[in-house]
Amino acid sequence: MHHNDEHIDELLASRGLRLTRQRRQLAGLLFRGGDRHVTAEMLGREAKLSGFRVSLATVYNTLHQFTRAGLLRRINVDPARTWFDTNTTVHHHFFNTRSLELTDIPQERVSVDVLPAPPVGTTIDHVDVVIRVTPR
Amino acid sequence: MHHNDEHIDELLASRGLRLTRQRRQLAGLLFRGGDRHVTAEMLGREAKLSGFRVSLATVYNTLHQFTRAGLLRRINVDPARTWFDTNTTVHHHFFNTRSLELTDIPQERVSVDVLPAPPVGTTIDHVDVVIRVTPR
DNA sequence: ATAGCTGCAAATGCTTTGCAAGGCC
DNA sequence: GGCCTTGCAAAGCATTTGCAGCTAT
């Protein structure tokens, strides 16, 4: 799944998002190709390094808008900050609790049998599997 | 697993924790019996309601000390705050993203086949399964 | 034109820290 | 007595918010 600049515009437009400079630039960084895991601070820093002018508040807003639009997935794994994943398909993660590195579990080798019924009045939204690892 | 006051003292002592008033009182609330999910703020409020004088800083310290001592387990599920679980055995959770309620998955009806090898140089520490639910 | 965005700074909320005073062993 | 613990207030951080000025459509 690789996106060049026109594809980025189509992608945003197809989700009903206005084509602002900041969204295009951030989307360019995020969806350039390959799966990415980012935090707001990381993406802001990367934007700055690329010569883009974006405020951190806008980075946060944009990450949330993209998430609402289904382009990103939030990952709650790290107590100190929120991660966003460009891979929105069903998959799971390794989280290195020492280095704070987040990596995908390759080739979906995790199967979960979800036999239990959810609490009354609720429906299952999403199943998250996080395998916490530490350096040997 | 029910703990009366003497048991609480034994429990703390057995983990090398000094028997201070605050630890005894907080442990009394936590390990009174039955599994509990608490946040620092909840436990502090509960302590206050029970007439105990404890600062929030001490509640935080105590929760971390108990966690290090293996009496509690941290749960990263809620981006806004850290939950602690008195059930330290292997089990998983439902998290209601609307009400922020955290409940155990009854009778361990979740099986995870962890086929994937962890990233090189790391070992698996813990597998967390969180099933996010929303009101129907 | 106008509804939606952006940027800044300030505010928020959870959590940690520094340090003096107090308590356990 | 000596080391660990507590409490308070202040600091720290990630994140959100208010709002004035812009901008895409």
Side-chain angles (χ1 to χ4, degrees), chain A residues 102-132:
Chain A
L102 184 63
T103 54
D104 284 351
I105 289 181
Q107 51 217 329
E108 312 314 332
R109 303 278 285 285
V110 175
S111 79
V112 182
D113 297 327
V114 185
L115 299 181
V120 277
T122 65
T123 48
I124 292 180
D125 215 66
H126 191 82
V127 179
D128 273 323
V129 177
V130 175
I131 303 184
R132 286 167 201 278

